Amino acid sequence: MPTTMLTGAVLSVAVGTVLYLATAKAIESDAQTRFRGMARTAQFAIDARIKSYSDVLRGAAGLFRASNEVGPDEFRHYVEQLDTPRNFPGIEVMNYARSVGPAELQAVDADVRHRLRQYGMPEPARELRPLPGRDSYTILVYMEPATPQTLDKLGLDLEARSYIRRTAAQSRDYNTIAASGFRVRVLPGPIQNVLAMRLPVYRGGMPIDTVSQRRAAYLGSVGIGFGVNRMVNGVLEGFPVSGVRLVLTDLNDVPQEPGENRISAVLYDSHAAESLPPAVSDDAELLKASLPIEFNQRQWRADFSVAKSALYTRFDLYYPWMAALAGSLSTALLYALFQTMASSRRSALRMAEDMTRELRASQGKLQATNEKLRQLAAHAEQIKEAERKRIAREIHDELAQNLLALKIEAEFLANRTRDKHGRLHERASATVRQIDLTIRSVRQIINDLRPNVLDLGLNAAVDWQVSDFARRTGIACELVEDETEYHIDDQSATALFRILQESLNNVARHARASKVRIDLHRHADMLTMTIRDNGIGMQPGSRNRNGSFGLVGIEERINILGGSFSISSGPDTGTTIVVTIPVDGYLPGTNAFRAHDSDVVLPAIA
């Protein structure tokens, strides 16, 4: 007895421990799933903001393409109408850079200095001068809003950096948004980055279908600069839980000019940008999610993290202990019950005998029920085939005939308007073509419901199905049959045709075969059809897979007809299906078979 109690206690503690660990793991997995869903929502919000910035850029480019004479006042009014602080938070500046040659630099420089004086800004120390080896320059001429920080960039040559010059040339040649990834520091503090996007502007009225045409029509580019902090902070403000850390990293390198410091890959770090408590250092106490963000052909990675306790409720903290206690108590009770049942062996044996008798009785009832269900399935199959036949015939007699009449009228109209009404003739011809497509679709629907070739006999139906399968799939098919015409009842012919149809569909979907052979022969009073392919065979267990009723349906059809069904498969031999149904017998001198469930003798077609 002490040993039994000790065994029960150890088993109860073990089960409680397992339930505690499993419950804690399930709670953590649920929290991870919820956190990843929150992170995806934030990812979509960042993607949407980047998309809205691209739309603003395209709108600005459209302004310059609509009018080749957009001045600084028009550009300023356009930017003011956008109301970017409210509608597009994060956009710090919008600008326009004009593409000029060496001969135009002096005039552009004078114009920039003149407008800086109008704004009360000191003239820049830099002077625009031609440089050896360069035949084009892209100069910032419009900046909005006009603040001391933005006006300081007025007159800047965007092509001074070789990497940006290559990026801009590619954007000009292929009419795409350029994003070099170069960071501009505009505000003090850690990781205060401003990124730029630019879109080429082409002269209105000029073609831009080819690279040479786009270069000839190129006027310059419009650009926006947006603050990563302002863009992302707005997204994090809507995060469902607090204390989330987001680190935004640029996965693409930004080439540097000689002598420049390497640019950090981190674009944004919420714990560095704000005054937040120190992050949890133990990774085991964190939930993490890393998601990709695409920024105009540059790849970013958004790393979200938060302390697990932020997503746990008080119930989540106590639930593993409750599960462990419930598991231990349940195991103890079950163990005690087991010991009690073990001591009552005779009662259990008598109960087993009673259950065996009841099981046998239930098995007999189940067999009777299965037989009724089989008969019901056979009746339902007959009704379904009859309904398919009726619907196919009605479609053929009504819809197909109406479509044919409509086609004749449309062709008559097309012929009458050929020489006098070109546009009407074209519309009428298009209608004829559409009617042809509809007729083909109707024919396909009729064939799917019940091919008319079944009315010509089993041989013709099998030959048509094999030819159609070879045409649709490109799989070589060989049909081997007796020279005798098989005239059997419609139910048997339909069943064999459907079995062939289902088997060929399985070959096309699963077998990876290059050749299929179909044999149709009579052996005494039995008609046998064999479908053999050279494919990969059936996967182990695929025949009994849940939701797979193709082979079950074939077997039931054959059982209803009183026939037999067998299937063999191997990786080197392919799959072979053999179905056999009884016929009442071959009638000598008549070249025909009598259907096994009909007294009518059908002569074979010579």
Side-chain angles (χ1 to χ4, degrees), residues 16 66 84 87 119 202 237 247 250 327 357 370 399 429 446 487:
T84 54
N87 298 324
Y119 284 116
Y202 302 101
E237 289 174 359
V247 179
D250 189 349
R357 286 193 296 270
N370 286 339
L399 180 58
S429 300
I446 293 174
H487 290 277

Side-chain angles (χ1 to χ4, degrees), residues 133-194:
R134 289 184 55 189
D135 56 357
S136 66
Y137 302 83
T138 303
I139 310 301
L140 287 174
V141 293
Y142 301 158
M143 298 286 290
E144 293 296 336
T147 64
Q149 290 82 3
T150 60
L151 290 176
D152 183 59
K153 306 295 183 182
L154 207 62
L156 185 67
D157 179 14
L158 297 182
E159 296 188 23
R161 292 176 173 272
S162 59
Y163 171 64
I164 297 179
R165 184 161 61 248
R166 293 193 301 271
T167 304
Q170 184 178 12
S171 173
R172 174 202 64 198
D173 290 346
Y174 297 100
N175 193 18
T176 57
I177 293 178
S180 65
F182 184 76
R183 281 74 147 171
V184 180
R185 296 293 300 275
V186 295
L187 296 173
I191 316 181
Q192 296 286 351
N193 291 316
V194 170

Side-chain angles (χ1 to χ4, degrees), residues 214-506:
R214 286 190 282 268
R215 290 180 179 178
Y218 183 64
L219 289 176
S221 62
V222 291
I224 63 170
F226 63 92
V228 179
N229 283 27
R230 288 185 59 189
M231 177 186 72
V232 179
N233 285 342
V235 174
L236 289 182
E237 289 174 359
F239 214 89
V241 296
S242 59
V244 176
R245 181 180 184 181
L246 170 58
V247 179
L248 202 59
T249 306
D250 189 349
L251 301 181
N252 301 100
D253 292 332
V254 179
Q256 302 297 300
E257 298 294 328
E260 291 184 340
N261 294 329
R262 179 177 176 81
I263 296 178
S264 172
V266 177
L267 295 171
Y268 174 84
D269 187 343
S270 58
H271 279 218
E274 302 178 10
S275 299
L276 295 175
V280 178
S281 58
D282 187 2
D283 287 349
E285 298 299 322
L286 290 176
L287 297 175
K288 296 182 178 181
S290 295
L291 299 173
I293 296 176
E294 184 172 347
F295 171 61
N296 293 303
Q297 301 179 359
R298 297 186 68 84
Q299 295 296 323
W300 293 355
R301 186 184 69 239
D303 296 311
F304 298 85
S305 60
V306 70
K308 293 180 181 178
S309 58
L311 275 80
Y312 284 2
T313 63
R314 181 173 296 181
F315 176 77
D316 293 333
L317 297 176
Y318 292 111
Y319 184 55
W321 293 104
M322 295 169 59
L325 179 60
S328 298
L329 293 177
S330 299
T331 303
L333 292 174
L334 289 174
Y335 186 77
L337 179 62
F338 173 77
Q339 293 296 327
T340 302
M341 293 179 64
S343 64
S344 306
R345 185 171 178 273
R346 293 181 184 177
S347 298
L349 289 175
R350 286 194 298 269
M351 185 181 298
E353 292 175 356
D354 294 339
M355 291 177 64
T356 301
R357 286 193 296 270
E358 292 178 1
L359 182 60
R360 289 174 179 173
S362 299
Q363 187 175 6
K365 294 179 180 179
L366 181 60
Q367 289 177 348
T369 302
N370 286 339
E371 184 61 30
K372 292 181 179 179
L373 289 176
R374 179 170 294 173
Q375 295 174 1
L376 178 61
H379 181 64
E381 187 66 27
Q382 292 177 0
I383 294 176
K384 182 175 71 172
E385 290 295 341
E387 187 66 12
R388 282 182 170 183
K389 185 176 181 179
R390 183 189 66 81
I391 294 174
R393 182 173 289 111
E394 289 186 0
I395 291 176
H396 178 272
D397 294 343
E398 298 293 336
L399 180 58
Q401 297 302 322
N402 291 338
L403 285 173
L404 181 59
L406 184 61
K407 177 184 177 182
I408 294 173
E409 294 296 330
E411 287 179 339
F412 176 75
L413 178 60
N415 292 332
R416 290 290 300 272
T417 58
R418 184 185 305 276
D419 300 322
K420 296 180 180 181
H421 303 282
R423 295 184 61 182
L424 183 57
H425 171 72
E426 183 180 348
R427 294 295 299 275
S429 300
T431 302
V432 171
R433 292 191 295 271
Q434 186 62 40
I435 292 173
D436 286 336
L437 291 176
T438 306
I439 290 175
R440 283 196 290 271
S441 298
V442 168
R443 288 175 179 168
Q444 185 60 44
I445 291 172
I446 293 174
N447 286 333
D448 291 342
L449 288 172
R450 175 187 169 84
N452 293 330
V453 73
L454 269 175
D455 298 331
L456 301 179
L458 178 62
N459 299 66
V462 170
D463 184 63
W464 174 84
Q465 178 62 37
V466 171
S467 300
D468 181 69
F469 175 78
R471 176 185 57 81
R472 286 187 294 105
T473 63
I475 299 175
C477 296
E478 180 184 3
L479 175 60
V480 180
E481 57 183 344
D482 299 330
E483 295 182 358
T484 304
E485 191 77 20
Y486 304 110
H487 290 277
I488 61 178
D489 63 282
D490 185 69
Q491 180 185 1
S492 300
T494 301
L496 284 177
F497 180 80
R498 295 300 184 193
I499 290 170
L500 175 62
Q501 201 174 47
E502 177 69 22
S503 301
L504 291 178
N505 287 337
N506 287 338

Side-chain angles (χ1 to χ4, degrees), residues 44-58:
F44 295 152
I46 295 175
D47 286 335
R49 291 204 172 186
I50 293 176
K51 175 63 169 57
S52 68
Y53 296 165
S54 300
D55 293 339
V56 170
L57 200 58
R58 296 187 186 279

